[in-house]
């Protein structure tokens, strides 16, 4: 059995990013993957500007509190002051307005007293410090500074930064097309009546939703029965039309588990067993030039192996840069059952209690019990060689986040 780390590494080493890219408007770029690095072509801010509503002056003129200066003009955002400040003078200035080069500090309005009868004289109750309340030209980003690396997936705030750089269009990798199907004679699509010995197909819905959240186009091929020919046909259709195939069920060693057999005949299986729980049967390979990820049928296994195993490789295929998940240390709030031999991804509930991260089991850990993922807010990552965990031991957790939740 392969360790999780070796399985992921093997897949990352096998898969090459798609090369095609396209240009999109930034408003359509969220969750798209950048094809070429972006450097700043402007300084941000592009001019010295005020961080407060108040008055700008030479800082020396208000070296101590209780100084009075003469008001000689104003600067509003988008309407700069065109003159030059002399000693003893100040201007009214608003947040975002350009600070004239003749001024060296901004004192906020709160630290002033204006006599209505002598409104051209401003009394400053606080002293000025050189550079105070001035946002300096280029202090956030300078021309030529790296902003986004190739392979970066855009978030909403990234789109804001692009806009502030004046960039309207970006070059992104084309969307990945992922074919998806479920296998199993016992499966029935929701909305249809079923016999008591049948179950509803849930994997395809979880997987479809996760793939869409990742920004991929999903080619949903539906339910495929446990029949070698029909599975082979599904693989042929999928490989002709998609960049990758994700299917669930039929990858273990049961009598009706044909997926691996079909791949053996049509293509090549890279490996099909990983030392993890939930999981273990997991097939990775290639059919007609298309990568496929065969997930185990149990719903928690399918979801967790998709996230832990298939996702890094899919992201690489989509051109996305590898990013390590954010992991947190926590104290086990109760004993956690575990046997050495496989890495466990137990569903947990993480809480901050008296200043300490504590994690509890999210309930029964059956690999078919999707409710544990619904209730839980994290995965408790228990190392392959680790045994039973006592309350009070330190464990590592990964928060359940996009695309699972
Ligand atoms: P398999 O991997 O095909 O041996 O299936 C393992 C378990 O997962 C069995 O109990 C199946 O009934 C169940 N299962 C397989 N596919 C699905 C699915 N798409 N949705 C829900 N449960 C499934
Ligand atoms: Mg099956």
């Amino acid at each position: 059995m392969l360790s999780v780390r070796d399985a992921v590494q093997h897949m990352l080493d096998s898969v090459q990013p798609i090369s095609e890219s396209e240009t999109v408007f930034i408003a359509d770029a969220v969750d798209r993957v950048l094809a070429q690095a972006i450097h700043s072509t402007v300084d941000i801010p592009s001019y010295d500007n005020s961080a407060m509503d108040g008055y700008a002056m030479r800082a020396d003129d208000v070296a101590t509190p209780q100084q009075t200066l003469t008001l000689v003009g104003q600067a509003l955002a988008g309407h700069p002051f065109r003159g030059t400040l002399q000693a003893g003078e100040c201007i009214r200035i608003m947040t975002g307005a350009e600070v004239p080069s003749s001024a060296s500090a901004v004192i906020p309005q709160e630290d002033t007293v204006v006599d209505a009868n002598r409104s051209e004289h401003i009394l400053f109750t606080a002293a000025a410090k050189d550079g105070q309340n001035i946002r300096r030209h280029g202090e956030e980003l300078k021309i030529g500074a790296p902003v986004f690396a190739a392979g970066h997936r855009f978030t909403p705030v990234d789109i804001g930064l692009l806009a502030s750089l004046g960039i309207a269009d970006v070059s992104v990798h084309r969307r990945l097309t992922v074919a998806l199907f479920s296998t199993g004679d016992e499966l029935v699509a929701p909305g249809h009546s079923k016999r008591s010995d049948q179950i509803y197909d849930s994997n395809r819905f979880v997987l479809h939703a996760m793939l869409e959240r990742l920004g991929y186009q999903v080619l949903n091929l539906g339910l495929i029965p446990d029949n070698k020919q029909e599975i082979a046909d599904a693989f042929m259709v999928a490989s002709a039309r998609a960049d990758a195939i994700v299917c669930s069920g039929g990858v273990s060693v049961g009598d009706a588990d044909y997926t691996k057999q079909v791949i053996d005949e049509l293509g090549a299986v890279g490996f099909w067993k990983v030392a993890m729980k939930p999981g273990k049967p997991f097939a990775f390979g290639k059919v007609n030039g298309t990568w496929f990820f065969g997930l185990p049928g149990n719903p928690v296994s399918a979801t967790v192996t998709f996230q832990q195993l298939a996702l890094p490789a899919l992201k690489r295929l989509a051109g996305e840069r590898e990013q390590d998940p954010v992991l947190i240390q926590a104290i086990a709030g109760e004993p956690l059952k575990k046997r050495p031999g496989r890495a466990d991804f137990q569903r947990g509930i993480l809480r901050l209690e008296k200043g300490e991260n504590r994690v509890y089991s999210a309930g029964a850990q059956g690999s078919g019990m999707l409710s544990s993922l619904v209730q839980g807010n994290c995965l408790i990552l228990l190392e392959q060689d680790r045994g039973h965990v006592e309350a009070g031991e330190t464990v590592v957790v990964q928060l359940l986040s996009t695309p699972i939740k």
Side-chain angles (χ1 to χ4, degrees), residues 310-327:
L311 197 50
L314 277 177
K315 284 187 167 178
R316 176 159 167 78
L317 189 59
E320 194 170 339
R321 271 193 331 156
E322 230 188 303
Q323 268 191 315
D324 292 333
V326 177
L327 302 177

Side-chain angles (χ1 to χ4, degrees), residues 1-12 271-278 280 282 284 305 308-309 341-345 382-385:
M1 264 194 292
L2 273 176
S3 70
V4 173
R5 176 200 286 252
D6 290 347
V8 169
Q9 196 55 51
H10 174 79
M11 289 187 281
L12 289 175
F271 60 86
W272 64 284
K273 263 187 181 175
V274 181
M276 68 183 283
K277 188 183 172 192
K280 188 157 103 180
F282 173 91
F284 168 71
T305 55
Q308 298 290 330
L309 301 176
R342 292 198 269 163
D344 264 24
F345 296 81
L382 301 176
E383 301 78 1
Q384 188 168 334
D385 299 331

Side-chain angles (χ1 to χ4, degrees), residues 94-289:
M94 296 297 147
T95 305
E98 184 172 6
V99 176
S101 58
S102 51
S104 58
V106 169
I107 295 187
Q109 192 160 314
E110 294 75 24
D111 296 333
T112 63
V113 178
V114 184
D115 180 345
N117 298 322
R118 296 175 71 233
S119 59
E120 72 282 16
H121 296 286
I122 313 295
L123 170 66
F124 294 95
T125 54
K129 278 205 229 59
D130 195 48
Q132 170 185 330
N133 296 316
I134 299 177
R135 302 192 284 217
R136 290 293 181 193
H137 174 243
E139 75 177 13
E140 184 179 351
L141 274 177
K142 294 208 168 42
I143 290 180
V147 183
F148 294 114
H152 180 81
R153 170 188 285 265
F154 288 120
T155 65
V157 287
D158 298 336
I159 305 298
L161 186 57
L162 289 171
S164 68
L165 293 169
I167 295 171
D169 300 306
V170 282
S171 170
V172 295
H173 287 276
R174 74 163 166 79
R175 277 182 205 280
L176 218 58
T177 301
V178 180
L180 173 66
F181 59 90
S182 297
T183 67
D185 279 349
E186 74 283 30
L187 301 178
V188 174
H192 294 78
S193 58
K194 68 168 189 67
R195 299 190 313 259
S196 60
D197 60 340
Q198 294 177 312
I199 61 166
Y200 286 116
D201 172 15
S202 59
N203 290 346
R204 208 157 36 94
F205 291 85
V206 181
L207 292 164
H208 195 135
M210 290 196 288
L211 289 164
E212 284 206 324
R213 270 205 170 169
L214 290 160
Y216 306 150
Q217 246 142 17
V218 184
L219 178 65
N220 195 329
L221 298 177
L223 274 176
I224 311 294
D226 289 318
N227 171 293
K228 264 182 90 167
Q229 190 55 49
E230 293 200 49
I231 293 173
D233 291 347
F235 273 116
M236 295 312 286
V237 171
S239 62
R241 295 175 54 192
D243 301 299
I245 304 166
V246 172
C247 63
S248 72
V251 288
S252 37
V253 290
D255 292 342
D257 292 329
Y258 296 121
T259 308
K260 187 181 151 281
Q261 284 181 40
V262 170
I263 295 301
D264 263 334
E265 287 166 25
L266 286 183
V269 181
F271 60 86
W272 64 284
K273 263 187 181 175
V274 181
M276 68 183 283
K277 188 183 172 192
K280 188 157 103 180
F282 173 91
F284 168 71
K286 207 170 199 182
V287 195
N288 295 328

